[in-house]
């Protein structure tokens, strides 16, 4: 089993999720809606200083790609360090916490550390069942290919992997790093996976996205992202199976592997291209009352999927593992999980 060490490589925006229970006054003070996701502006500076002073503050390592590789590691349990993770943090207390949290999750994180910008954070302001998320990329936005990815010791870790996963969010940070990894995977007939991540990626970062697309072996996304992507590419259809098919048929560099497209749709069936067909996979049933927080469900699905993929399981099995992981995560606050999976 030790052969699985560093088999999975992830690169993305490492953020420290800071969650605390707050009151309505706190939300009003910073002009927040109870249930929302926004990027931090200047007026939120004091929010981050205040939230850490509250009692019962919880720190969780976050960021989409990091969440996914962490879930993959959790699903596999042993050996440790199946996943390598690269991203940029600051030389500060939050950076130290991120390092500690990655270690506790047994992820082999190698961060590029710089002191221009502080470690990226995401404040989760919780009131009852609601959470208002305020993300501040900061250091995560400072990843540099030549300062980190290109270093021999780091590139050796990239070469060690067989499966690569990078969320679309990282296209806003370092498309040249993504391309270097994607080309390596393609040249060596290894598996490169990507995520559409959010509608704004297809809308405003279409150029870098399409530059990487020929190297993408497995593409993930949800129904909203799929629809936006189709619109941006002029597919002229809103049928998700048709979108999956057209996406699969986009130009591909490594012809030894047919592209696989996987679109999740919340409680509705997951749509996936299986060979030349498009197949629907029903998700696990869950009582609406058991859903605590669907945030992180997409990251968890990918994490479960990747855990089966690194073991070279069939696509159907990868999707089943993804559905299991997502089902566990939506019963809990944030992208957190119990000590061990109960998955067979």
């Amino acid at each position: 089993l030790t052969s699985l060490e560093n088999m999975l490589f992830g690169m993305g925006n490492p953020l420290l999720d800071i969650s605390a229970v707050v009151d309505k006054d706190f939300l009003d003070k910073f002009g927040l809606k109870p249930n929302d996701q926004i990027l931090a502006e200047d007026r939120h500076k004091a929010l981050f200083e205040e939230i850490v002073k509250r009692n019962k503050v919880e720190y969780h390592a976050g960021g989409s790609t990091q969440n996914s590789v962490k879930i993959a590691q959790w699903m596999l349990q042993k050996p440790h360090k199946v996943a390598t993770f690269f991203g940029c943090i600051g030389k500060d207390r939050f950076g130290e916490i991120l390092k500690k949290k990655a270690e506790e999750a047994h992820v082999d994180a190698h961060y590029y550390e710089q002191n221009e910008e502080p470690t990226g954070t995401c404040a989760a302001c919780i009131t009852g069942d609601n959470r208002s998320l305020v993300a501040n990329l900061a250091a995560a936005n400072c990843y540099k290919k030549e300062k980190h990815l290109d270093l021999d010791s780091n590139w050796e870790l990239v070469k060690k992997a067989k499966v690569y996963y990078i969320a679309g969010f990282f296209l806003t940070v370092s498309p040249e790093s993504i391309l270097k990894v994607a080309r390596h995977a393609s040249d060596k007939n290894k598996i490169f996976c990507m995520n559409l991540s959010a509608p704004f990626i297809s809308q405003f970062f279409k150029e870098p996205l399409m530059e990487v697309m020929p190297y993408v072996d497995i593409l993930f996304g949800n129904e909203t992202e799929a629809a936006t992507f189709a619109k941006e590419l002029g597919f002229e259809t809103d049928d998700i199976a048709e979108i999956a098919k057209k996406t699969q048929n986009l130009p591909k560099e490594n012809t030894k592997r047919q592209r696989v497209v996987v679109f999740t749709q919340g409680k509705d069936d997951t749509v996936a291209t299986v060979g030349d067909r498009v197949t629907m996979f029903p998700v696990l049933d869950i009582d609406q009352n058991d859903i605590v927080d669907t945030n992180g469900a997409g990251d968890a699905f990918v994490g479960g999927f990747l855990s089966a993929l690194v073991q070279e399981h069939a696509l159907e099995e990868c999707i089943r593992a993804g559905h299991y992981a997502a089902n566990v995560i939506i019963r809990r606050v944030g992208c957190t999980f119990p000590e061990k999976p109960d998955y067979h």
Side-chain angles (χ1 to χ4, degrees), residues 73-301:
Q73 177 66 58
W74 171 73
M75 288 282 288
L76 290 160
Q77 292 287 305
K78 290 271 178 330
H80 291 164
K81 299 191 170 182
V82 169
T84 309
F85 179 78
F86 288 2
C88 183
I89 59 173
K91 293 182 180 172
D92 49 28
R93 191 169 72 90
F94 288 168
E96 290 306 314
I97 295 172
L98 266 191
K99 287 197 267 193
K100 188 168 148 288
K101 292 289 182 185
E103 208 174 310
E104 284 168 8
H106 308 299
V107 166
D108 194 12
H110 293 256
Y111 297 113
Y112 167 47
E113 297 178 47
Q114 48 73 60
N115 36 28
E116 303 287 299
E117 286 283 340
T119 297
T121 48
C122 180
C125 312
I126 297 162
T127 51
D129 289 345
N130 291 322
R131 62 211 305 272
S132 197
L133 301 173
V134 185
N136 181 25
L137 285 189
N141 209 20
C142 300
Y143 190 83
K144 300 276 183 289
K145 175 178 164 289
E146 56 288 349
K147 294 262 176 75
H148 192 264
L149 186 69
D150 292 344
L151 304 184
D152 289 345
S153 57
N154 290 332
W155 189 249
E156 282 306 314
L157 285 165
V158 175
K159 288 182 357 194
K160 236 181 125 174
K162 291 254 161 70
V163 175
Y164 301 85
Y165 174 65
I166 301 176
F169 288 123
F170 202 58
L171 285 163
T172 76
V173 175
S174 183
E176 55 286 350
S177 296
I178 302 176
L179 274 170
K180 183 174 182 180
V181 171
R183 288 190 177 117
H184 166 78
S186 181
D187 292 343
K188 301 282 186 247
N189 192 30
K190 299 197 278 192
I191 304 173
F192 183 81
C193 314
M194 193 142 196
N195 203 316
L196 292 175
S197 289
F200 82 85
I201 298 293
S202 296
Q203 289 169 315
F204 306 112
F205 295 87
K206 181 174 145 189
E207 204 175 315
L209 174 64
M210 294 319 288
E211 211 180 328
V212 180
M213 197 58 73
Y215 303 101
V216 177
D217 296 300
I218 303 177
L219 182 70
F220 298 102
N222 66 25
E223 73 278 39
T224 322
E225 293 150 9
T228 306
F229 181 70
K231 201 169 142 220
E232 287 299 322
L233 266 75
F235 284 172
E236 293 183 351
T237 177
D238 46 21
D239 178 271
I240 193 144
E242 192 61 27
I243 294 171
K245 193 79 208 125
K246 285 185 186 267
T247 304
Q248 179 186 41
N249 291 330
L250 290 169
K252 190 156 189 313
E253 200 62 38
N254 174 13
T255 51
K256 292 192 201 82
R257 292 181 188 278
Q258 187 179 26
R259 182 179 293 120
V260 172
V261 179
V262 184
F263 291 145
T264 56
Q265 310 187 83
K267 61 183 185 341
D268 295 327
D269 293 2
T270 294
V271 180
T273 58
V274 183
D276 292 328
R277 320 217 345 238
V278 176
T279 311
M280 304 297 210
F281 297 88
V283 301
L284 294 161
D285 276 334
I286 185 167
D287 187 323
Q288 207 56 35
N289 299 323
D290 291 335
I291 300 177
V292 173
D293 163 13
T294 56
N295 206 349
D299 294 342
F301 172 82

